[in-house]
Amino acid sequence: MAKKNKPKFHCKNEAQKRAIRANYARKAAATKISPSVKVTEKKFPDKFPFWARFKPNKGRTTLVIDEIQLKRNNSDVEDDYFVHREAIHCTEDNRYVLSGDYEKISPNPDKTDKNPMYLKRPHKHRKRLFEPHNKNLDMPEDLRQRYDKNNYKKENPDNNDGE
């Protein structure tokens, strides 16, 4: 048996068309923000490392450790990238944990979470794929000390040693 396609919706008269247009106009007006309301956009912290959300991977928590500029393929255009390490939950007998690919974070940055978190190896992705983290997570001191050196690149972009 062949499927019967539903017929397209057709307005019966002009009054129905106006009512539909008015409904769409009300919906559009409701989604707009009035100028009197100030929107505070969350920004990324100035110093590395910091916690963020990685949008393509369901907003997974990630540790941003550095910022670099890379050229696009076959082009001279440079884009800003973040170097980051995704934080995941897994068990101690996971093959990546056993092989040393994942690093255990101690203590867990999320005080409400009892499961241990692990960091994957570093990856590079464009900045637009990240958003500021919505939770207040603690930064373990060993991670802060290890990635603090990446802040000096921002402060001294011209690292001339002979002058």
Side-chain angles (χ1 to χ4, degrees):
M1 288 176 86
K3 282 186 178 178
K4 288 185 179 180
N5 292 335
K6 290 185 179 181
K8 291 184 178 180
F9 177 76
H10 294 288
C11 294
K12 295 188 176 25
N13 55 28
E14 288 298 317
Q16 191 177 24
K17 285 182 184 178
R18 284 194 302 274
I20 291 170
R21 285 186 193 127
N23 189 30
Y24 280 125
R26 273 194 302 277
K27 285 182 181 178
T31 58
K32 287 184 180 175
I33 298 173
S34 65
S36 62
V37 177
K38 290 185 179 180
V39 177
T40 55
E41 187 176 314
K42 286 183 118 183
K43 303 230 176 193
F44 292 115
D46 294 336
K47 295 201 169 215
F48 297 110
F50 60 86
W51 296 104
R53 294 269 186 194
F54 187 50
K55 292 180 194 177
N57 205 348
K58 300 179 184 176
R60 182 173 279 170
T61 299
T62 185
L63 179 68
V64 178
I65 58 177
D66 200 3
E67 177 182 20
I68 60 172
Q69 288 191 331
L70 293 176
K71 288 186 179 180
R72 293 183 190 173
N73 291 344
N74 303 326
S75 176
D76 290 335
V77 179
E78 286 189 347
D79 290 325
D80 291 330
Y81 283 71
F82 275 146
V83 179
H84 69 102
R85 298 181 70 184
E86 278 188 60
I88 63 164
H89 290 96
C90 61
T91 59
E92 294 281 340
D93 59 349
N94 184 301
R95 67 179 179 158
Y96 296 107
V97 173
L98 294 174
S99 68
D101 285 351
Y102 292 173
E103 176 187 352
K104 187 173 183 177
I105 306 172
S106 178
N108 193 338
D110 189 0
K111 299 291 183 199
T112 62
D113 189 9
K114 300 298 179 202
N115 297 331
M117 289 176 77
Y118 294 87
L119 289 177
K120 288 184 174 182
R121 59 186 171 85
H123 295 279
K124 300 171 192 149
H125 289 286
R126 290 191 178 148
K127 274 184 164 182
R128 63 181 167 82
L129 299 177
F130 295 87
E131 60 188 16
H133 208 288
N134 56 349
K135 280 185 173 180
N136 188 13
L137 300 177
D138 294 334
M139 183 65 61
E141 194 57 37
D142 63 327
L143 292 175
R144 184 180 311 281
Q145 290 174 357
R146 184 185 325 168
Y147 297 117
D148 188 44
K149 66 180 184 277
N150 297 334
N151 294 317
Y152 301 115
K153 286 195 259 182
K154 278 175 96 174
E155 294 170 7
N156 301 329
D158 301 326
N159 199 0
N160 300 333
D161 290 330
E163 298 179 32

